[in-house]
Amino acid sequence: MSSNSPHRPTSATDGPQLPRINRRTFLIGLGALGAVGGIGYWATAAKPNKTGSTFATPLRIPPLLESEMLDGERVFRLNAQAGETELVPGVSFATMGFNGTHLGPTLRAARGDKVRVRVTNNLPVATTAHWHGMLLPASQDGTPHQAIAPGTTWTPSWTIAQDAATLWYHPHPHGQTELQVGSGMAGMFLIDEATPSGLPSDYGVDDIPLIIQDVSVQSGGQRPGTPTTAPIGRIGNTVIVNGTYEPHFVATARRLRLRVLNASAARCYNLELSTGDEFHLVGTDGGLLAAPAAMSSLLLSPAERAEIVVTVPPDAELVLRSVPQDLGMSKGDDMTSGAEDTFGILRITGPGAATSGEQLTELPTTLPSAKQPGTVSGVERHFTLEDTTINGKAMDMDRIDTVVAANSTELWTIQNVSKRAHNFHIHGTQFIVTAENGGSPEPRNLGWKDTIFIAPGGTAQLTVPFSSYADPATPYMYHCHMLWHEDQGMMAQYVLTDGEATTEPMQHDGAMHH
């Protein structure tokens, strides 16, 4: 298939939706990515000591994927594949990835670029490729409606229509997202700055991608563990970064820009530096902030991204780590969900005495951030998050839950009435958090977001501008990005139309393309 119409939902086969995966016959070791009794073994046995004898593995940097220019389009090629990967020394896991057996390369483009991605599925099961955080037509979004059957290629194309941001891509098969993402199918998609920001920008040198995931090993670290499920989903007892166990990064610059992606299925990370020093948040899901924000800790729920700038003193020895957090659940549920764990993520050592005399460049006081949203149209919506439903309904591929007028801006209020922690992601847009729990937004939710954490009993008010990509036949999704919740049906669909917004769901009675 050489191209897709921007107005018609297509898949590689235009056939039925995704089949169910037979877990016994397909990658029987995938269960090993589950949890075994929290992170206690890993946190105690692998904590970096004064001699640095742990956290000594060089941090792997995902390669930049080369593109080729064809007829004015920047063309990328991705191959979904499965295999085995030694994620922990001596322990091989059954994994999935793009252009390799685990994770995927980093794609880069700039505003105005016309991009086309040829996604070939070499898995034995159907998959999709979703461009998380990207503003693009619903037919190119890689939702469950754009399934890629085994042995076929899907070729979405669109024009980059947003400012610099750290986005990512991952599969989105209906009911099977936790299995595929948790097995390693994830990669970054960076949109480059049109205006130099003054931030570190040398990829892999001082501009570092950090894809954080958790896997599980048995006590002693000899074999993959067996899964247990917390109220928020699967929690592993071992954390890896870019597929690297106990990673170490030797800084050659005094300032590092860390692009952090929580690509875990459920685990949240409360990031801080072991030195207690502040770092600066310079970007969130949808791009750069108006100005750097100093903070000493940062909570990231699954799918959220943060760009932080860390100052590295000469001969520094510091660890980016995760510390206990309050997810707002019961003590027992917080514990099984990993909220009370403390563990290292990345060891950073300083550039040494050779650069100690270098002048430390000033962090810019303002950043070329994106524009503010337009005036709210007057349409306000309220969404209630229960255990695994939204507004009391489970996901139905043939039901349109929300009809939105293209080019409008709406006010969405999200309320978590369950005893479980959730987060909330909207496809095809970036939003501004205007209020949290009746007050000002948390500093971590500054700027443009596409995913927001909402604790039990919490509310978030979002100003949501929608694009001009009207297509009443092809839906976008909104859902909890704790992937077990999503797979259980905590997802709904909206379409953009050229007409008026409506509040009543529409039933398509199986007539939708998927």
Side-chain angles (χ1 to χ4, degrees):
M1 180 180 294
S2 60
S3 67
N4 285 331
S5 161
H7 301 295
R8 182 172 180 269
T10 58
S11 73
T13 59
D14 276 342
Q17 59 183 290
L18 293 158
R20 303 295 291 184
I21 293 177
N22 182 321
R23 292 182 182 228
R24 176 167 291 277
T25 57
F26 177 52
L27 300 182
I28 198 157
L30 282 173
L33 295 170
V36 114
I39 206 158
Y41 155 72
W42 186 80
T44 53
K47 192 176 296 181
N49 58 29
K50 292 180 181 178
T51 64
S53 61
T54 59
F55 280 78
T57 308
L59 175 71
R60 176 184 174 270
I61 303 295
L64 288 170
L65 182 60
E66 291 188 9
S67 61
E68 59 178 324
M69 295 300 295
L70 294 173
D71 299 325
E73 291 184 319
R74 184 177 299 283
V75 181
F76 296 96
R77 288 175 168 80
L78 291 173
N79 296 293
Q81 58 192 93
E84 288 199 345
T85 310
E86 190 176 287
L87 298 177
V88 176
V91 185
S92 288
F93 293 79
T95 56
M96 304 161 77
F98 295 94
N99 296 5
T101 60
H102 186 257
L103 296 180
T106 297
L107 281 62
R108 293 191 85 151
R111 188 181 189 116
D113 282 357
K114 295 179 178 179
V115 299
R116 180 178 297 274
V117 190
R118 297 185 58 82
V119 188
T120 300
N121 182 9
N122 289 321
L123 300 170
V125 294
T127 191
T128 85
H130 167 54
W131 318 107
H132 184 120
M134 194 73 72
L135 309 184
L136 77 178
S139 60
Q140 316 299 294
D141 190 39
T143 73
H145 293 281
Q146 288 101 41
I148 313 170
T152 64
T153 298
W154 179 54
T155 312
S157 61
W158 68 95
T159 298
I160 303 290
Q162 62 203 102
D163 291 319
T166 298
L167 311 181
W168 66 302
Y169 61 95
H170 64 82
H172 212 297
H174 188 37
Q176 302 293 336
T177 301
E178 184 188 54
L179 176 69
Q180 294 193 11
V181 176
S183 301
M185 293 185 76
M188 285 197 176
F189 199 132
L190 306 184
I191 301 179
D192 287 332
E193 297 161 4
T195 305
S197 64
L199 297 172
S201 59
D202 191 350
Y203 182 84
V205 177
D206 59 10
D207 185 356
I208 313 298
L210 300 179
I211 302 174
I212 307 177
Q213 294 182 300
D214 53 341
V215 296
S216 206
V217 294
Q218 292 186 10
S219 182
Q222 305 306 311
R223 293 187 302 280
T226 53
T228 59
T229 300
I232 61 172
R234 184 179 58 213
I235 302 294
N237 65 4
T238 300
V239 170
I240 55 174
V241 182
N242 299 348
T244 312
Y245 174 72
E246 295 188 1
H248 174 212
F249 183 77
V250 180
T252 57
R254 293 288 308 280
R255 289 202 198 276
L256 298 179
R257 178 188 193 171
L258 305 179
R259 298 179 187 254
V260 188
L261 160 64
N262 182 351
S264 294
R267 180 181 280 280
C268 299
Y269 300 96
N270 193 20
L271 304 175
E272 69 167 28
L273 296 175
S274 58
T275 56
D277 293 338
E278 287 187 330
F279 51 84
H280 286 84
L281 180 69
V282 296
T284 47
D285 300 341
L288 298 178
L289 305 182
M295 54 187 61
S296 55
S297 66
L298 175 67
L299 179 68
L300 281 187
S301 68
E304 289 187 285
R305 286 89 65 208
E307 297 185 37
I308 63 175
V309 173
V310 174
T311 301
V312 185
D315 296 318
E317 175 83 29
L318 60 104
V319 175
L320 179 68
R321 64 188 184 188
S322 183
V323 296
Q325 63 224 238
D326 181 8
L327 299 183
M329 300 186 292
S330 70
K331 186 81 169 174
D333 286 350
D334 264 4
M335 184 178 295
T336 58
S337 298
E340 298 189 356
D341 297 336
T342 298
F343 51 91
I345 291 174
L346 172 69
R347 174 176 164 238
I348 301 170
T349 52
T355 59
S356 62
E358 288 185 11
Q359 188 70 28
L360 187 63
T361 55
E362 288 294 318
L363 196 63
T365 55
T366 60
L367 298 169
S369 61
K371 61 180 176 60
Q372 290 299 302
T375 305
V376 175
S377 64
V379 176
E380 297 188 11
R381 303 184 194 271
H382 190 278
F383 299 89
T384 301
L385 309 182
E386 294 94 1
D387 280 357
T388 56
T389 58
I390 299 174
N391 289 348
K393 295 180 179 179
M395 171 67 177
D396 181 343
M397 290 276 283
D398 291 319
R399 185 186 68 239
I400 300 300
D401 300 273
T402 306
V403 179
V404 176
N407 282 319
S408 68
T409 298
E410 298 190 348
L411 195 65
W412 286 23
T413 299
I414 320 299
Q415 181 180 12
N416 182 357
V417 300
S418 78
K419 294 181 179 179
R420 295 177 175 177
H422 291 301
N423 67 9
F424 193 78
H425 168 53
I426 311 176
H427 286 217
T429 184
Q430 300 282 349
F431 52 75
I432 294 288
V433 183
T434 52
E436 270 188 280
N437 303 318
S440 299
E442 293 283 344
R444 68 174 183 265
N445 290 323
L446 296 168
W448 289 96
K449 296 280 293 171
D450 57 49
T451 307
I452 181 171
F453 175 80
I454 305 176
T459 61
Q461 187 182 75
L462 316 176
T463 297
V464 192
F466 292 94
S467 74
S468 60
Y469 300 121
D471 182 355
T474 315
Y476 295 97
M477 310 287 150
Y478 52 90
H479 58 87
C480 181
H481 217 289
M482 292 176 176
L483 298 180
W484 179 65
H485 293 171
E486 175 187 331
D487 285 347
Q488 294 296 305
M490 197 167 186
M491 182 161 64
Q493 305 188 108
Y494 79 92
V495 291
L496 294 180
T497 74
D498 285 323
E500 294 293 314
T502 67
T503 56
E504 294 301 314
M506 295 193 308
Q507 193 76 29
H508 274 248
D509 298 324
M512 293 175 65
H513 301 287
H514 50 66

